[in-house]
C-alpha cells in the first residue's frame, strides 16, 4: 500500500506559452503549445514518486482519450491507481494554462469528471493504511470524509486547498487537517488573525511566499526559509512540487526546518523548468542542495 495517498484533481493540461497574459479586450501571442497530465493531486503523487516515496491517488477521470493519456502517465510514473475512478461517458477535466515570459500563470478550465469521487467512493482501508494523506482542491464532502477517516486512524493529514478556497466550504476538512498549505492570498481569506491567535494555532501552518520562500508555524516554533534564487520559467505546479518535497522530507525525519528547505528546493526547481510535472527526482534534489551549501 502507498505511504502517501493524495486526493483531488486529475487533469489534462494544455500549456500555452504567451508573450503576455491577456487583458480584457486585449490579445496575446502564443509562442508554443504542449499537452501533458496535470491536476494538483496528480502532480503531488508524481512528484512524490520521483522522490522515492510510494504514492497513491484518489481522484477521477473520464473514459475519453485525455483520461487514458492521464492514467497512462500516472502509471508510468509509478503512482498507485487503485483509487482513481474512471467515469463512464465522462470527460476528463482540461485546464488551459497561460504562461507568460516571466513564468506567471493564468488558468482556464472546465471541471469535467474531476469531482466525481463522492464520500461513498472512498475506500476507508486504503486511507487508513497510509502514513500520510495529502488533500488538494476537490468536493468539500469528499475532502471531509478523507480527512476525518485518516484523522480517526491516526494518519497525518495535510491540505492544500488552492485557488478556490474562498468559494467553497472546506470547514470540516480544515478542522481535521494537521498541516495546512496556503499562499499569501489564501492565507488572507482563511486567517482572521495572525497565527498565534488564529483558529489554526494548534496545528502546522505553511505559508508559501513564492520566490521569497516560505514560513512554517507550529505550536512550538516558527521556521523561515528564504527560498532559492532561480530564474522562473513556469510556475505551474511549483506549489505541488513544494508540497511533495515538504511531505517527503517530513516522512523521513520529523524536522520542519528541513521540510521547508526541501519544499522550497523542489518548488524552485519546478519553477525553473517548463510544465506542471517538472518536480525534481531525489537525485536531482540532493545535487541541487549540495550546490547551495
Amino acid at each position: 500500500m502507498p505511504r502517501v495517498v493524495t486526493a483531488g484533481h486529475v487533469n489534462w493540461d494544455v500549456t500555452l506559452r504567451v508573450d503576455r497574459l491577456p487583458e480584457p479586450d486585449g490579445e496575446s501571442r502564443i509562442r508554443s503549445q504542449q499537452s501533458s497530465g496535470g491536476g494538483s493531486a496528480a502532480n503531488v503523487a508524481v512528484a512524490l514518486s520521483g522522490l522515492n516515496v510510494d504514492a497513491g491517488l484518489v481522484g477521477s477521470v473520464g473514459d475519453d482519450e485525455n483520461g487514458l493519456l492521464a492514467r497512462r502517465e500516472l502509471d508510468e510514473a509509478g503512482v498507485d491507481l487503485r483509487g482513481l475512478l474512471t467515469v463512464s461517458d465522462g470527460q476528463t477535466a482540461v485546464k488551459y494554462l497561460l504562461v507568460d515570459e516571466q513564468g506567471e500563470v493564468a488558468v482556464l478550465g472546465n471541471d469535467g469528471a474531476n469531482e466525481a469521487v463522492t464520500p461513498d467512493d472512498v475506500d476507508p482501508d486504503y486511507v487508513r493504511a497510509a502514513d500520510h494523506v495529502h488533500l488538494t482542491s476537490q468536493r468539500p464532502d469528499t475532502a471531509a470524509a478523507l480527512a476525518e477517516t485518516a484523522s480517526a486512524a491516526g494518519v497525518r493529514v495535510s491540505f492544500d486547498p488552492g485557488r478556490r478556497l474562498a468559494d467553497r466550504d472546506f470547514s470540516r476538512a480544515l478542522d481535521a487537517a494537521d498541516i495546512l498549505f496556503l499562499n499569501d492570498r489564501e492565507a488572507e481569506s482563511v486567517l482572521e488573525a495572525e497565527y498565534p491567535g488564529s483558529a489554526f494555532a494548534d496545528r502546522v501552518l505553511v505559508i508559501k511566499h513564492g520566490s521569497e520562500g516560505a514560513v512554517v508555524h507550529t505550536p512550538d516554533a516558527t521556521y523561515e526559509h528564504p527560498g532559492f534564487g532561480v530564474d522562473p520559467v513556469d510556475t505551474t505546479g511549483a506549489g505541488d512540487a513544494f508540497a511533495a518535497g515538504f511531505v517527503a522530507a517530513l516522512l523521513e525525519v520529523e524536522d520542519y526546518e528541513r521540510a521547508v528547505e526541501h519544499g522550497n528546493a523542489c518548488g524552485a526547481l519546478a519553477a525553473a523548468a517548463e510544465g506542471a510535472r517538472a518536480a525534481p527526482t531525489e537525485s536531482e534534489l540532493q545535487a541541487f542542495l549540495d550546490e547551495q551549501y
Side-chain angles (χ1 to χ4, degrees):
M1 299 293 278
R3 290 196 69 193
V4 180
V5 170
T6 71
H9 290 172
V10 184
N11 305 332
W12 188 250
D13 286 352
V14 179
T15 301
L16 305 174
R17 301 193 65 82
V18 297
D19 57 351
R20 60 181 179 272
L21 297 180
E23 298 179 356
D25 201 29
E27 181 175 331
S28 300
R29 182 182 300 277
I30 298 174
R31 298 194 181 280
S32 66
Q33 175 177 329
Q34 68 180 56
S35 300
S36 65
S40 287
N43 291 343
V44 175
V46 170
L48 285 167
S49 290
L51 295 171
N52 299 329
V53 176
D54 291 334
L57 176 63
V58 174
S60 50
V61 295
D63 62 353
D64 55 358
E65 182 179 3
N66 288 337
L68 175 63
L69 292 170
R71 178 181 280 273
R72 183 180 298 161
E73 275 196 3
L74 291 163
D75 185 56
E76 290 175 351
V79 177
D80 186 281
L81 300 181
R82 278 173 284 183
L84 183 61
L85 175 68
T86 299
V87 179
S88 179
D89 297 325
Q91 291 188 333
T92 302
V94 177
K95 301 292 181 181
Y96 295 89
L97 308 169
L98 301 130
V99 184
D100 70 11
E101 293 177 343
Q102 287 71 49
E104 295 299 318
V105 180
V107 182
L108 302 172
N110 66 313
D111 288 336
N114 228 345
E115 300 201 350
V117 177
T118 70
D120 290 339
D121 294 314
V122 175
D123 179 357
D125 291 334
Y126 191 66
V127 175
R128 296 183 188 119
D131 294 325
H132 188 110
V133 169
H134 179 73
L135 306 176
T136 68
S137 183
Q138 59 193 289
R139 286 174 54 136
D141 57 347
T142 304
L146 286 156
E148 291 167 356
T149 298
S151 182
V155 177
R156 181 158 50 197
V157 178
S158 58
F159 190 15
D160 190 346
R163 295 180 178 91
R164 297 172 67 182
L165 172 60
D167 302 324
R168 315 191 80 176
D169 182 8
F170 283 120
S171 56
R172 286 174 56 199
L174 290 169
D175 287 344
D178 301 292
I179 303 172
L180 183 60
F181 293 97
L182 302 170
N183 63 26
D184 291 318
R185 185 182 301 107
E186 293 155 3
E188 289 179 4
S189 71
V190 168
L191 302 180
E192 298 177 355
E194 293 297 321
Y195 175 79
S198 79
F200 301 98
D202 60 339
R203 35 248 160 103
V204 176
L205 186 61
V206 184
I207 308 296
K208 300 172 290 182
H209 301 308
S211 62
E212 297 181 1
V215 58
V216 181
H217 297 291
T218 77
D220 301 317
T222 293
Y223 306 94
E224 295 187 56
H225 190 281
F228 297 94
V230 299
D231 293 325
V233 173
D234 182 352
T235 57
T236 310
D240 301 326
F242 177 99
F246 190 100
V247 170
L250 203 58
L251 283 171
E252 187 175 339
V253 180
E254 190 79 7
D255 182 340
Y256 286 102
E257 189 170 19
R258 180 175 182 272
V260 70
E261 175 195 60
H262 282 223
N264 276 328
C266 287
L269 286 168
E274 294 185 11
R277 298 275 172 85
T281 64
E282 176 65 21
S283 60
E284 290 169 341
L285 172 62
Q286 291 304 323
F288 177 77
L289 289 172
D290 289 343
E291 291 174 359
Q292 306 304 309
Y293 304 108

